[in-house]
Every structure is written in C-alpha cells, then in structure tokens.
Amino acid sequence: MVSSFCWSCLTRLPTPRPLLSAPATIPRAATAAASFHTSTARAFPMPTKKSRSLDSGPKYRQAKSARMKKKKPTDKPRPPPIGERKALRKRIVLSNPNALEVEGMQDFDADTMVDSHLHGNVLGLPVTMLDQLRAVQAFKPKQGWSIFRRPGTVVRRETLEMGRLFDRMSGDGADKGKVVKKILTGPKGSGKTVHMLQAMAMAFTKKWVVFSVPDAQELTLAHTGYAPLSDEQPDLYVQKDSTAALLSRTAIANQAVLKDLHVSQNHPALKTPVKEGTTLEDLTKIGIRDPALAWPVFQALWTELSATSPAAGFEKSFKPRPPMLVTVDGLAHWMKNSEYLNMESKPIHAHDLVFVRHFLSLLKSGSQTPTLPNGGLLLYSTSASNKPSLPTFEVALKQLEARQAGVNPSSAEFPQPKAYSNPDPRVLDIANVSKPASAKEGPVEVQTLGGLSREEARGFLEYFARSGLLRERISDEMVSEKWTLAGNGVIGELEKLGKRLRVAAQ
C-alpha cells in the first residue's frame, strides 16, 4: 500500500536536539579522543609530544656539540722575577728575636776552640764572622739556625781535635806547612756539613784562605754554560760562570787576607800583564768582572797562593802565603757522568770538567813538592741525604779505609769490586794513593762522624732549654731517652726532638 505521505512532507518533520553537544572550544584531537574515553573532555588543550623527523638536524654551519659558554679572560698574576724562587728556597735566617738569649754564651774563637773544659757546650759564632761564612755558603737552609737567638755550634770531640790541628799548623812548630787530607762520611744528620762550617770558622780565625764548593752537584747538572778548554784539549771543558762564582765567594770571604798580598809571579795565560803592585784581591776581581777570564785568573790566584818565593822582579812586595782550607760538600756527585753532552751527544764525565779535575787532583800526592806548599787542609764530605747510588765510589772509600788501617792491597782482605760489576777505573784511581814525596804531606784519610756522646747530647739539649724551646727538666733519664731515640746521639735527630714543645698539664 502506498504511503499517503510524500518525501517532501517527511523532510518537514521536526528533528530532536542532541542531549550533549561538544563545546566549540574543544580541539579536534580531544573530540577524537573522547570517543575512546568515558570521562568528560577537559576545557584546556592537551599537551602533545613533538615528533622528531628523520630529516631534522643542525642548521647550515651549526655545531652539533653542546655550546659551552666562554669564560671571561682573567688577569693572570705576573710570575716572579728570575731567581726569586731560588733565592727564597735558599734563604738563610740566622736570628730569631722570639727566642730567649742564652746568658754567658761564649764565642767561637782561637782560645775556646781548643779548650777541653768546653767539651759538650754550645759556642756562638762571632757576629763579625757571619758575613764571611755567608759568603762561602757555609750555612744550609734546613739546619735550623732560625730557631735560636744567634747561631751556635756544639763542641764535640772531633771539634777539639780539629781545633788543635789548626793551632799546630798555624804555629811555628814541626807541623807548620803540613798538608792534611780528609773525606768525611757518616749517616744522615751526623753533622758533616756543620763540621766543615767549624773548620771554616777556625780558618777565618787563623787568617787562612778558604776555598769552598758548597754543593758539588750544581757543577754537574748542566745548569751553567760550558765550552771546550782549548783547541789543543777539546776533551776538557771549562765552566766560566761557576769559576767566576767561586772567585766571587773567595774574594768576599778572604778580603782581609787578599788585600795585603801582592802579585809575585808571571802569568802568561792572562791577556794583559799584571803589574807588580797589584793585590790578589784586584787580581780576583778581574775574573769576576769578565767570566771569560775566570779560569786563567783562578789558575793565577792558585799559583800566587802556592808560591814559596817570588819570581825575578817581584821581590819587593812579596809576603809569605798563608795556609789554605779547601772544602767540598757532596763529593759523590763528581764520581759519575755529568748532565753535560759533548759534540757527539754523549755524556761528559765529571772528571773531564777542569773545575772538578783541579779539586780532585789535590787528593793525589805531589810528585816532588806538596800539593799545598804552604800547608793546609782538604776537607771533602759526602752527603747522605742527597746521595747517588755509586757502588764504585763506595768500594773506593772502603779501600781508603783499608789502607788507613794498614791492610795490604795484595791481601785477600783488601776490598775489591764485585765481579762483572763494570767498575769505573777513574773513580777507583782515587784510592790508588801513592806515598807522598814530602814528609809534611799525609795520605787521604776517611773520617766517619757518628752520634754525640751522652755528655755532648746533654749540653746540646741544655742549650735548647736555655733558649726556651725545650720545656722539660734536663735529667740523666731524659738525656738517655733522647739519646736513644736519636739513634745513639745523631745530632740531626736530637735537634728534631729538642724543637718539640711540651708543656706540663696544670
């Protein structure tokens, strides 16, 4: 049956309104997602995660790494001047105004250095001699001079023996003009360097001429310039600056002696002839001003101090020459190759440096005349704190001790290098000491310094107590305890124990 309504009438019928209508503020994504959830859509847009496409990358000429913010340039402090750090490291302070002044402290002079009643006491170095000792660099930075009111040194048994030796050699007796050669050995802190300082103080007291090499290692470290000695001797090398420094130390420390002595020999090695009235002080200053002439001037000065009679034409102003004291600290550094290189880039042995060769040649006995014709003392020391490993040198020292004890070199008890140890023949040659031609020249002796005795240790600790450093009662038990803790009286260890402040609890 055909419906009575037509299609046009159906389209006119009213349509019902929806119960819920989506607000116009909801985005399409939220509307699309609303069909999958039962909760009401939110009124603010949902955060969407940005998708990274494969073609995304750095822009043209843009770095891929993370950008670091450049730091603003800061003003760097100016480095210290050349030599200031070394001067600060080697600064010597000889006085502490905060320390107590030791009352009744005697000076180290010609009378007290041989007085056996002062054995174990501490004597103060004269103030007038401090500049001379500074000039020869007798003080070391780590010796603890800055903790006392004034520098002083303890009188030990070896000090009295050396003082009597200086007294005999400076007099008119049988020991006048005698030559004594010693090599000091001993453990670390046994007082080898201070023993040489005492020898320098005695030499200045007796108006001797002092030559000092404060650190033998500095001559082998390649820190100063060097050059072949001459075309005739290209295998020997001269260190002009080091020689000029030695002349400077000698001129300042021995000014009182050198200014009264005049030139008495001819010196053809110098470029200009030296006038007759020139003092040895003026001769030394020539090498100080011109380092190129330092080595010829040093040879001329050594010839003048070793002269026993004047040359022709110099009889008017000639005076007898005083004895000489030569000290070298750190002898072991001269028994190996140095840091210098020759033309073939090979290391130069320390014995090929004319400066080193001269002082080592003094250990040899003179052929006809003594090594020091006017007498003197050679005092060379080894260092235990800065000691290179040299088995050959240790064997050489043992051979010298065996010769000193009377052991025959041909006997089986005489020390010999180990097999296949490849010993240095130039170092062993030091121990091959021939018999001196002169009766006043003795062989090389090895002197080993040990610890202080209990009496000497007591006087040393009393000096600390009187200076206000040691707050303990000095008794026999306390001295025995410190002496034992210091390795049977090693003076360096006693100094460490004496500097520790101890205050009794109230």
Side-chain angles (χ1 to χ4, degrees):
M1 180 176 180
V2 180
S3 176
S4 59
F5 293 96
C6 62
W7 287 101
S8 60
C9 296
L10 291 175
T11 56
R12 295 177 183 177
L13 293 176
T15 57
R17 296 179 62 184
L19 297 177
L20 295 175
S21 60
T25 58
I26 300 177
R28 293 183 179 180
T31 307
S35 60
F36 298 97
H37 298 276
T38 58
S39 60
T40 307
R42 297 181 179 179
F44 55 88
M46 303 267 311
T48 60
K49 185 176 181 181
K50 294 183 179 180
S51 61
R52 298 181 59 184
S53 62
L54 298 177
D55 297 337
S56 63
K59 296 181 180 180
Y60 180 66
R61 291 184 179 178
Q62 183 178 3
K64 296 182 180 180
S65 60
R67 292 184 178 180
M68 304 295 293
K69 293 183 178 180
K70 294 183 179 180
K71 296 182 179 180
K72 296 182 179 180
T74 57
D75 297 336
K76 295 183 179 180
R78 182 175 297 179
I82 298 176
E84 182 176 351
R85 293 177 179 175
K86 183 177 181 180
L88 184 62
R89 186 173 67 253
K90 293 191 173 184
R91 184 182 61 172
I92 304 296
V93 180
L94 299 179
S95 178
N96 183 11
N98 296 323
L100 298 179
E101 185 174 359
V102 179
E103 298 181 358
M105 187 176 181
Q106 302 185 26
D107 289 341
F108 194 87
D109 53 18
D111 297 330
T112 56
M113 69 183 187
V114 295
D115 191 355
S116 59
H117 297 287
L118 298 176
H119 181 214
N121 294 349
V122 176
L123 301 180
L125 298 175
V127 179
T128 56
M129 193 185 296
L130 295 182
D131 292 337
Q132 293 177 291
L133 295 174
R134 277 183 178 270
V136 294
Q137 300 181 11
F139 302 104
K140 302 298 179 182
K142 297 182 180 180
Q143 288 178 341
W145 303 104
S146 60
I147 61 178
F148 300 105
R149 187 79 174 189
R150 55 174 298 192
T153 177
V154 63
V155 179
R156 53 196 300 179
R157 178 179 55 85
E158 294 82 2
T159 306
L160 294 174
E161 293 177 356
M162 186 170 58
R164 293 162 186 161
L165 178 63
F166 270 90
D167 202 16
R168 294 194 305 267
M169 295 172 64
S170 302
D172 297 332
D175 290 336
K176 183 179 181 180
K178 186 178 180 180
V179 180
V180 180
K181 306 175 183 179
K182 291 185 178 182
I183 297 179
L184 298 178
T185 61
K188 180 181 177 181
S190 57
K192 299 182 292 296
T193 305
V194 177
H195 190 67
M196 289 196 299
L197 182 146
Q198 294 175 345
M200 296 178 197
M202 296 176 185
F204 289 135
T205 302
K206 296 294 184 180
K207 305 298 181 182
W208 286 24
V209 177
V210 178
F211 288 89
S212 173
V213 181
D215 190 359
Q217 185 181 11
E218 292 185 355
L219 298 173
T220 61
L221 291 179
H223 287 179
T224 59
Y226 69 109
L229 181 60
S230 62
D231 296 337
E232 294 78 12
Q233 295 176 316
D235 296 336
L236 298 180
Y237 300 88
V238 61
Q239 300 163 289
K240 301 176 183 180
D241 296 335
S242 299
T243 310
L246 172 65
L247 291 176
S248 177
R249 295 194 299 267
T250 306
I252 296 174
N254 305 280
Q255 181 182 8
V257 179
L258 296 180
K259 69 180 182 181
D260 293 336
L261 301 177
H262 298 80
V263 175
S264 63
Q265 306 293 323
N266 295 313
H267 304 289
L270 298 178
K271 294 182 179 180
T272 57
V274 183
K275 298 181 181 179
E276 181 181 358
T278 304
T279 63
L280 297 187
E281 181 185 6
D282 297 334
L283 176 64
T284 308
K285 291 181 179 179
I286 297 175
I288 299 175
R289 290 192 297 264
D290 189 2
L293 298 176
W295 180 247
V297 169
F298 173 76
Q299 290 180 311
L301 178 63
W302 191 268
T303 302
E304 290 290 341
L305 295 174
S306 302
T308 56
S309 60
F314 294 92
E315 296 86 356
K316 182 178 180 181
S317 58
F318 179 77
K319 292 182 180 179
R321 305 319 195 196
M324 288 188 288
L325 170 66
V326 181
T327 62
V328 177
D329 197 357
L331 180 63
H333 293 280
W334 287 356
M335 303 300 165
K336 61 184 183 69
N337 290 331
S338 66
E339 300 296 332
Y340 294 99
L341 301 178
N342 57 12
M343 295 295 294
E344 300 176 355
S345 298
K346 294 182 180 180
I348 300 174
H349 200 280
H351 292 191
D352 292 332
L353 304 174
V354 292
F355 191 106
V356 176
R357 173 172 288 204
H358 171 77
F359 287 101
L360 289 180
S361 64
L362 301 179
L363 295 176
K364 294 291 184 180
S365 302
S367 57
Q368 296 180 357
T369 59
T371 307
L372 303 177
N374 296 303
L377 173 62
L378 303 179
L379 201 59
Y380 295 1
S381 173
T382 60
S383 177
S385 58
N386 186 13
K387 177 183 177 182
S389 179
L390 298 173
T392 307
F393 182 57
E394 295 177 1
V395 173
L397 291 178
K398 292 180 181 179
Q399 290 181 356
L400 288 175
E401 293 177 352
R403 291 176 184 271
Q404 186 176 347
V407 179
N408 192 350
S410 59
S411 65
E413 298 179 358
F414 194 76
Q416 295 293 341
K418 294 182 180 180
Y420 308 105
S421 61
N422 193 17
D424 191 349
R426 306 177 74 172
V427 177
L428 287 177
D429 189 52
I430 297 177
N432 297 330
V433 181
S434 59
K435 185 177 180 180
S438 175
K440 292 189 176 182
E441 182 175 1
V444 181
E445 302 176 3
V446 178
Q447 183 179 4
T448 303
L449 292 183
L452 302 179
S453 63
R454 295 179 186 270
E455 180 183 358
E456 296 167 352
R458 185 184 183 93
F460 189 60
L461 294 176
E462 287 178 352
Y463 175 65
F464 277 83
R466 295 170 65 187
S467 299
L469 295 174
L470 189 61
R471 304 291 183 87
E472 294 185 35
R473 182 174 177 270
I474 307 298
S475 60
D476 294 340
E477 293 78 8
M478 180 264 188
V479 173
S480 180
E481 176 190 356
K482 304 300 183 186
W483 184 86
T484 305
L485 292 176
N488 295 343
V490 176
I491 189 170
E493 301 298 328
L494 278 175
E495 180 184 349
K496 295 178 182 179
L497 296 174
K499 290 189 295 185
R500 299 179 182 177
L501 293 176
R502 291 183 176 87
V503 181
Q506 299 295 334

